[in-house]
Amino acid sequence: MLKGGALPADGWSMHSLSVITDRRPLTWRLLRAGPVFAVLLWTLAQGPVVQPTEAVAVHPAATVDGKGLRALFGSENRVIRTRERVIAVTFNAAWNDAGLDNILGELARRRAPATFFLTGDFADRYPAVVRKIAAAGHGLGNHSFSHPYFKDLTEAGRQREVVAADRALRAAGAGGRAVTPFFRFPYGETSPAHIREVNALGFADIEFTTDTNGWKGTEGGMTVDRAVDRALDALRPGAVLQMHIGASQGRTEVIDAQALPRILKALDARGYRVIDLRTLLTPRTPARA
């Protein structure tokens, strides 16, 4: 669940002050200085806020802690901490974009926002796709550069994966508010230590309540019915749904693209609203008595 996380002890230590005399590039120095400067860097990099297109309805969720990005630190964030009947829809991309047009079309028809977690390798191969997602008003999250098992990498290697993916997303031309300070671990494998590393780079880890498993395809025993059932069985206030926009091993059938219309229709019928994860970045102002 979402829970507040205190800044690391060295957030304002002498290590932070060392950036003054460090001769390395400013971006690297700010990232090394801890999450406070990293969040500032992310904010400045966004430029003017670009509002989502009319296809995307953005409504803030009533988060319990209300602290914005730093409230997401220290947790793998598999559920949005809220009492409202809301759900976040997310998609991963590392293979191809076989189902993207159908997915974007259905999201637009339902006026539903989504966050797309892309690998840097995918962004390098499909820059036009990155721009298309951003132009539709959706958020872009970081899914590492090459989708490795993080436990098999050194700390420096893990940092390179995160930073390289962020650089690739920005190089693809997605501007404004699209690129988010959200990271999702490959294979959903997290650890407290790895989460702290990601937080220190200025990213909140956003995982998922359930995966439809549509990515397995019919060869893996999945069907559209099963994907829909998995999504609805996990339904609860603040659930985070994970799907995929492409297919592996040269396949073109994307079960999640076929399941999405039924999932969104069922969410609406059950009184759930799809929210934009980016609303969690701005603390909600308490209502006056």
Side-chain angles (χ1 to χ4, degrees):
M1 293 180 67
L2 296 191
K3 56 186 178 182
L7 292 176
D10 68 346
W12 288 99
S13 67
M14 292 302 295
H15 171 69
S16 300
L17 298 178
S18 68
V19 300
I20 297 174
T21 56
D22 198 325
R23 296 180 180 274
R24 286 173 291 188
L26 177 60
T27 300
W28 173 256
R29 283 182 275 149
L30 288 175
L31 289 174
R32 290 285 294 175
V36 174
F37 287 111
V39 171
L40 175 61
L41 174 63
W42 176 83
T43 303
L44 294 174
Q46 302 312 300
V49 173
V50 177
Q51 296 298 326
T53 65
E54 290 187 355
V56 178
V58 179
H59 303 286
T63 53
V64 173
D65 45 53
K67 296 179 182 177
L69 178 62
R70 283 184 293 172
L72 306 179
F73 287 179
S75 173
E76 59 183 7
N77 298 315
R78 292 189 179 273
V79 178
I80 301 168
R81 195 175 174 190
T82 181
R83 300 182 182 93
E84 294 187 39
R85 294 170 73 84
V86 297
I87 184 171
V89 175
T90 69
F91 295 88
N92 292 358
W95 299 307
N96 56 47
D97 66 335
L100 181 68
D101 287 342
N102 288 337
I103 288 170
L104 289 181
E106 183 61 20
L107 291 173
R109 190 175 76 83
R110 287 280 177 179
R111 302 177 65 84
T115 302
F116 291 76
F117 288 86
L118 314 180
T119 66
D121 174 67
F122 180 94
D124 280 348
R125 288 184 289 118
Y126 298 102
V129 169
V130 179
R131 293 191 294 273
K132 181 185 291 188
I133 294 171
H138 302 292
L140 297 167
N142 185 322
H143 196 35
S144 80
F145 186 84
S146 62
H147 207 276
Y149 287 97
F150 266 40
K151 62 182 176 60
D152 295 336
L153 304 178
T154 63
E155 180 177 353
R158 290 189 291 270
Q159 290 177 343
R160 283 193 295 271
E161 283 284 332
V162 177
V163 173
D166 183 73
R167 186 181 299 118
L169 287 173
R170 297 179 188 282
R177 190 167 166 262
V179 181
T180 68
F182 295 148
F183 179 80
R184 175 169 286 168
F185 282 91
Y187 308 104
E189 293 190 349
T190 69
S191 76
H194 295 168
I195 289 173
R196 285 194 296 271
E197 292 171 2
V198 168
N199 293 163
L201 291 172
F203 293 84
D205 177 33
I206 302 291
E207 295 302 325
F208 50 92
T209 310
T210 191
D211 187 321
T212 61
N213 281 352
W215 61 271
K216 292 183 177 181
T218 53
E219 296 90 342
M222 284 303 297
T223 64
V224 173
D225 286 343
R226 289 179 178 175
V228 172
D229 288 344
R230 284 183 60 83
L232 299 182
D233 287 346
L235 193 57
R236 56 174 289 188
V240 180
L241 179 63
Q242 175 174 279
M243 293 181 279
H244 292 74
I245 70 171
S248 63
Q249 300 174 344
R251 292 186 290 108
T252 57
E253 178 190 41
V254 181
I255 286 179
D256 284 335
Q258 299 173 47
L260 182 62
R262 289 174 52 185
I263 292 172
L264 294 180
K265 181 178 180 180
L267 293 176
D268 184 62
R270 298 185 185 194
Y272 276 80
R273 174 166 52 89
V274 179
I275 66 163
D276 191 325
L277 284 172
R278 287 171 292 184
T279 62
L280 301 180
L281 296 174
T282 304
R284 190 138 180 213
T285 303
R288 292 185 178 180

